[in-house]
Amino acid sequence: MRRSNTGSLLLDSHPQLLAAVPDCGSAVVGEVVEEIPGLIRLHKNGRVERLPAMPEVPSSYSVDPTVTAVDVTVDHSAGLWARIHVPELQAELPVVLYFHGGGFCVGSPAWRCYHSFLAHLAASAGCVVVSPNYRLAPEHRLPAAYEDGAASLAWLLNQAGRVGPDEGGLSWRARCDFARIFVAGDSAGAAIAYSAAALQKNPPASMRGVILVQPFFGGEARTASERSLRESAAKSALSLSAAECYWRLALPAGCDRDSVWCNPVGEEGLKKMERSASMPGVLVCVAEMDILRDRNLEFCGALKGAGKKVELEMYEGVGHAFHVLQSYYDLSQNRTNDLISDVTKFITNI
């Protein structure tokens, strides 16, 4: 399975690199026009560098002896693939389609932090986890990632009727209850999950719920948490300046942060939300010290106002991406256990 080299927003093996996230302004420094140090650089000539801040691991990398992983092709022509985590349980299991984070600009299902977290999720929640990649900005600006998210969901829905052996020899499809599909993700991956699943006009009955972990949304107006936590890397791994840099790299030319690709509670976003009459239940997981906290809470309020079923869970004392930053936050492990427990309850009770 061929993969591009990527850097990472989530530096669990290098927490010292998170001590400060410098301003990501557009001033030219040499030939670099946009940069988040240690993660990504955009050069004036259009060249993009993604730095190896997070190691990638093969599907055979062992995290939990009760979980086996395999990489499969989703769309060869588009370069889409997925890593599938299958626990050693004998029943047909619910399926979680999980999109990774990374500001739409960096990331991979093969990042060690995601490989480890999703293996633990599969074992603890008793589910098959399918984690697709998607095209990254700025080479592929939005809505490319949203299109790839929809394509991955369509591919997964089609697996129920396929015959023949599974790629990689794991026989993962036989372990899946394709009548119980949950679409999930964190950060930018949560925004992709919301776009792919919750905004469908006629979602399939097999799509039972949507799980959004600290969704990476934005807007032109500043929220209280964005103002108060804007540069506090001691409290959260995502600063306001880094978030703005990601949006500049990811949004289509001519779009501001109130675009539907960024702001789900802007005028166009609310119209889409209201038109999604059959939206499945949504679980939103929010971190107290995340700059996105108040934006996530506003999003939950908009969902409720549109008559949607939404559950909210708040995790105290931790910031953005705490569930994959095991060595960064003091409370990370405990809060991650809480998160997995909440996701398990959500899956079990629907």
Side-chain angles (χ1 to χ4, degrees), residues 267-316:
E267 182 178 354
E268 188 178 355
L270 285 175
K271 288 179 181 178
K272 284 196 169 188
M273 185 185 294
E274 291 165 357
R275 287 197 298 265
S276 302
S278 301
M279 183 186 296
V282 182
L283 170 65
V284 182
C285 301
V286 182
E288 180 190 22
M289 307 310 296
D290 188 357
I291 63 164
L292 302 176
R293 180 195 65 209
D294 291 350
R295 201 167 292 284
N296 290 173
L297 295 177
E298 181 184 21
F299 169 71
C300 289
L303 283 176
K304 291 179 180 178
K308 314 306 179 186
K309 181 180 178 181
V310 57
E311 299 180 25
L312 169 66
E313 296 290 347
M314 178 75 73
Y315 303 92
E316 297 180 355

Side-chain angles (χ1 to χ4, degrees), residues 229-242:
L229 299 172
R230 59 183 299 156
E231 302 300 334
S232 185
K235 296 178 181 178
S236 184
L238 179 66
S239 71
L240 182 61
S241 57

Side-chain angles (χ1 to χ4, degrees), residues 161-180:
R162 283 195 60 220
V163 296
D166 292 340
E167 182 180 353
L170 189 56
S171 300
W172 64 273
R173 284 181 295 154
R175 310 293 296 283
C176 295
D177 180 357
F178 286 106
R180 299 175 64 205

Side-chain angles (χ1 to χ4, degrees), residues 19-179:
V21 181
D23 182 28
C24 301
S26 58
V28 175
V29 180
E31 63 171 346
V32 176
V33 294
E34 294 280 8
E35 179 177 12
I36 300 179
L39 302 173
I40 187 170
R41 297 189 190 106
L42 173 63
H43 293 259
K44 188 175 182 180
N45 64 3
R47 184 166 66 92
V48 177
E49 286 184 89
R50 291 184 178 84
L51 306 175
M54 170 57 64
E56 294 189 356
V57 296
S59 60
S60 58
Y61 182 81
S62 180
V63 175
D64 186 317
T66 69
V67 177
T68 305
V70 65
D71 292 345
V72 302
T73 302
V74 173
D75 185 331
H76 180 74
S77 63
L80 301 182
W81 61 280
R83 177 159 296 179
I84 302 175
H85 301 264
V86 184
E88 292 180 355
L89 298 174
Q90 298 307 310
E92 289 190 348
L93 306 174
V95 184
V96 175
L97 182 69
Y98 193 102
F99 297 97
H100 67 78
F104 299 103
C105 296
V106 297
S108 167
W111 279 354
R112 185 179 63 193
C113 57
Y114 278 109
H115 180 90
S116 298
F117 169 71
L118 294 177
H120 289 312
L121 177 63
S124 299
C127 61
V128 174
V129 178
V130 179
S131 181
N133 75 330
Y134 48 87
R135 288 172 293 170
L136 299 176
E139 302 95 323
H140 304 283
R141 291 180 178 266
L142 297 176
Y146 294 129
E147 293 169 350
D148 291 349
S152 292
L153 176 57
W155 170 83
L156 181 62
L157 293 170
N158 287 335
Q159 297 309 300
R162 283 195 60 220
V163 296
D166 292 340
E167 182 180 353
L170 189 56
S171 300
W172 64 273
R173 284 181 295 154
R175 310 293 296 283
C176 295
D177 180 357
F178 286 106

Side-chain angles (χ1 to χ4, degrees), residues 306-329:
K308 314 306 179 186
K309 181 180 178 181
V310 57
E311 299 180 25
L312 169 66
E313 296 290 347
M314 178 75 73
Y315 303 92
E316 297 180 355
V318 288
H320 195 75
F322 69 89
H323 60 300
V324 286
L325 288 173
Q326 297 299 316
S327 63
Y328 184 60
Y329 300 112

Side-chain angles (χ1 to χ4, degrees), residues 161-213:
R162 283 195 60 220
V163 296
D166 292 340
E167 182 180 353
L170 189 56
S171 300
W172 64 273
R173 284 181 295 154
R175 310 293 296 283
C176 295
D177 180 357
F178 286 106
R180 299 175 64 205
I181 293 176
F182 295 81
V183 183
D186 67 78
S187 196
I192 294 170
Y194 175 65
S195 176
L199 295 181
Q200 289 197 25
K201 290 184 179 179
N202 297 296
S206 60
M207 194 167 67
R208 305 294 290 275
V210 180
I211 302 164
L212 308 179
V213 180

